[in-house]
Amino acid sequence: MSTLLVACGAASPALFPLALASNFGTLRPVMSQEFFPGIPVIPFEGPKSRNPLAFKHYNADEMVGGKSMRDHLRFAAAYWHAMRNGLSDPFGGPTAERPWDDGSDSVENAQRRVWAMFEFMQKCGIGYYCFHDRDVAPELNDLQASNDALDAVADELEKAQTQTGIKLLWGTACLFSHKRYNQGAGTSPFADVFAYAAAQVKKALEVTHRLGGEGYVFWGGREGYATLYNTDMKRELNHLAALLHMAVKHKKKIGFKGDFYIEPKPREPSTHQYDSDSAACLNFLREHGLLGELKLNIETNHATLAGHSMMHELEVAMAADALGSIDANTGDELIGWDTDQFPTDIYLTTQIMLCVLRMGGFTTGGLNFDAKCRRESFEVEDLFHAHIGGMDAFARGLKIAHAIIADGRLDGFKKERYSSFDSGIGAKIEAGEVGFEELEAYTLKNGEPSTKSGRQEMLENLINEFI
Ligand code: XLS
Ligand code: NI
Ligand code: NI
């Protein structure tokens, strides 16, 4: 994410002409301003539609297996990308047009932005959002001033949530942009920086709680190292665990009932980040007595940076009962960094929804579009195309995954593949009833075992039947 701001001239004085009727309530003209004039509430028009501002597949109320698409998918928009990302890249500055944003660090600007964000989500029919403290409100001269600014913006967020019915999926603290965090936050070698980070998490958690957030994310932006020559890894990991234990304690103290998530990412900005993938996070949580307290928020582009498929990361999390939420994006096979692109690949969304359905659906989690438009796609309309495309891709993934599960052949094959563990010697192995001696005696009698084909190609063809 980037918090680079774009100044794009004064906000347009256009009057807010109509009450927006969408799935998510009516946004009254509090700001006397419509931020996206000319863009309607995005309708569902079906697969034959050629209208770029319509859904072809995402039909919120359509039931899939006894549950509406809206409730299966639980889409969220990311405040940092939608509202704060100027779309700069390592070679050039921001391009994004955000006409309502005066580019200042004023609280008024931040409050006005709230209404732009909510009008955007409402027009897209997106029911949740996610934020970092520093996306929604400016970081000012000292902690008290920043906290006050955050409270003032939270007042607007609360009003906008009430008016629209849009909810907070999760909040988080930005512990990576400010200069003080140049060597980490919870893993900074400087105790005063750790203390600042703890204070920032405390406030972000309280604001998330106030806004009824269903979760809270820890993404260890700079929790890792650039070189081991200067790094006491064991001590840094102990500090990171201490920060999380403090957060758990505070969560209980204030009565926050939402889930805590760690979001794995292997590198960038650090050379190595401690929360490098699902397995590393789970081991860290287990080692520090935190396993029951935090689940994982898995992001596709981070999975690929870790050298894994998204499905791998989801399966690892699910095997530990720790899949909480998903940052729905994708990377670019030809670029080696976190490009945070919108997901449009139907195989990817099918695989993700296979996992989500097999786990029994989200509880407090959802599909958060932690994704940004390309630098070339700088107009506000591009924000809509991007989210419409992601939502349609997941709607198709949902329907396809549901059909594959209902068909039963894929899961049936998998079940049959392990059936030698359902009875006989296999059942005894699983029950821990036999050891080396019994298995040696069994094998001496049983002789050479036979195996069967894994049928990968057949199963890939089966998936293609549904796509
Ligand atoms: C950055 C992360 C970040 C987290 C929230 O790569 O994806 O955006 O989702 O801090
Ligand atoms: Ni993310
Ligand atoms: Ni990312």
Side-chain angles (χ1 to χ4, degrees), residues 80 263 297 299 302 327 370:
W80 54 101
E263 181 175 327
N297 177 43
E299 177 170 320
H302 299 178
D327 271 6
D370 191 354

Side-chain angles (χ1 to χ4, degrees), residues 65-76:
K67 194 159 136 183
S68 71
M69 287 186 136
R70 183 195 291 107
D71 291 343
H72 271 293
L73 297 165
R74 292 169 60 88
F75 289 125

Side-chain angles (χ1 to χ4, degrees), residues 263 265 299 301-302 329 338 340 370:
E263 181 175 327
K265 183 174 180 180
E299 177 170 320
N301 208 159
H302 299 178
N329 68 8
D338 197 13
D340 284 343
D370 191 354

Side-chain angles (χ1 to χ4, degrees), residues 370-391:
D370 191 354
K372 61 184 176 188
C373 293
R374 297 306 83 200
R375 188 166 183 268
E376 297 88 331
S377 310
F378 54 85
E379 297 177 18
V380 287
E381 191 171 322
D382 293 303
L383 263 183
F384 287 86
H385 295 156
H387 286 80
I388 291 168
M391 293 163 81

